[in-house]
Amino acid sequence: PTGDVSRPVEFIKVYGKGESTYRTLTDELFQKLVDLARQNKPDSIGALLDPDGDFMQESAMQSLAALADLKRHDKRAAMLVVTKDTAHGARVRKLIERLQREHPEFRHFSIVEIYNDTPKAHERIKSLNQDQTDIVITVRMISEGVDVKRLRVGWYATDYLTRMFFIQFIGRFGRYESRLDA
């Protein structure tokens, strides 16, 4: 993508008979995050990731609205939220739950937190393909080697800035669906 990186760029790709629409800022956004982190200002990204702040509240609203929109056509669509740590994940969950109370269209979404110390965490992640969980909150867990095809919305709410993890995160949402061939 080129141009103003403060606004998402819309792309539409056609694969066979299915159509996939996604917004991406991957390279420019990642570079801005890295540049902020290199300024050695501990609050440069942290302030943006505060669940009580305007940025996170707007990010949550946009993510939930995108999930609600997708669920109109794909009832199994789900959202992945990657947070800084488990305490941050709990605060993000509270933000989502507050927005669920305030917006009836989000009330029915189920939420699960899966962390390294969650009992049977890897089995729980594997079960996401078969269950009805709508929103998964985690910390650096669903990455390479994990294939949950129903993940449709990603919310990168972390200060983890390795390029590899960022690309793996983006890769969670570009999975091939054989049902589109029919």
Side-chain angles (χ1 to χ4, degrees):
T2 60
D4 180 9
V5 296
S6 64
R7 295 182 333 172
V9 179
E10 292 283 337
F11 290 94
I12 297 177
K13 301 237 181 201
V14 177
Y15 300 102
K17 295 179 185 174
E19 194 172 280
S20 173
T21 303
Y22 64 97
R23 296 184 301 173
T24 181
L25 295 172
T26 53
D27 289 334
E28 287 89 353
L29 179 59
F30 181 78
Q31 193 56 53
K32 279 190 169 198
L33 290 171
V34 170
D35 291 345
L36 281 171
R38 286 186 180 149
Q39 291 175 13
N40 292 325
K41 295 180 183 175
D43 62 345
S44 44
I45 294 175
L48 289 176
L49 298 177
D50 179 359
D52 295 326
D54 292 341
F55 178 80
M56 285 290 280
Q57 291 188 46
E58 180 62 25
S59 295
M61 277 299 298
Q62 287 186 22
S63 298
L64 292 168
L67 182 61
D69 184 51
L70 286 166
K71 282 190 151 302
R72 286 187 197 109
H73 307 289
D74 183 357
K75 299 292 183 208
R76 294 198 23 82
M79 178 168 82
L80 172 63
V81 184
V82 178
T83 60
K84 298 188 316 181
D85 53 41
T86 57
H88 186 244
R91 290 183 64 212
V92 166
R93 182 180 186 143
K94 287 181 186 203
L95 167 60
I96 293 170
E97 289 171 341
R98 181 179 56 79
L99 292 173
Q100 286 181 299
R101 287 188 300 276
E102 294 171 3
H103 300 274
E105 66 271 27
F106 306 147
R107 284 192 184 139
H108 63 279
F109 293 157
S110 61
I111 307 170
V112 67
E113 294 176 67
I114 305 174
Y115 304 116
N116 283 330
D117 61 351
T118 300
K120 299 185 179 182
H122 294 287
E123 289 84 1
R124 181 67 185 98
I125 290 169
K126 288 179 185 177
S127 74
L128 290 172
N129 271 322
Q130 289 78 38
D131 73 13
Q132 298 300 314
T133 302
D134 296 304
I135 301 169
V136 181
I137 300 172
T138 188
V139 177
R140 293 183 275 196
M141 286 205 52
I142 300 179
S143 58
E144 187 175 5
V146 175
D147 190 18
V148 181
K149 292 181 180 176
R150 59 190 204 86
L151 292 175
R152 295 285 180 264
V153 177
W155 180 13
Y156 197 81
T158 183
D159 56 0
Y160 195 62
L161 297 176
T162 69
R163 183 175 206 78
M164 177 64 78
F165 184 80
F166 188 71
I167 298 225
Q168 287 173 348
F169 174 79
I170 297 300
R172 301 307 96 204
F173 311 98
R175 296 294 185 218
Y176 172 75
E177 291 270 342
S178 60
R179 67 184 172 84
L180 296 176
D181 289 342

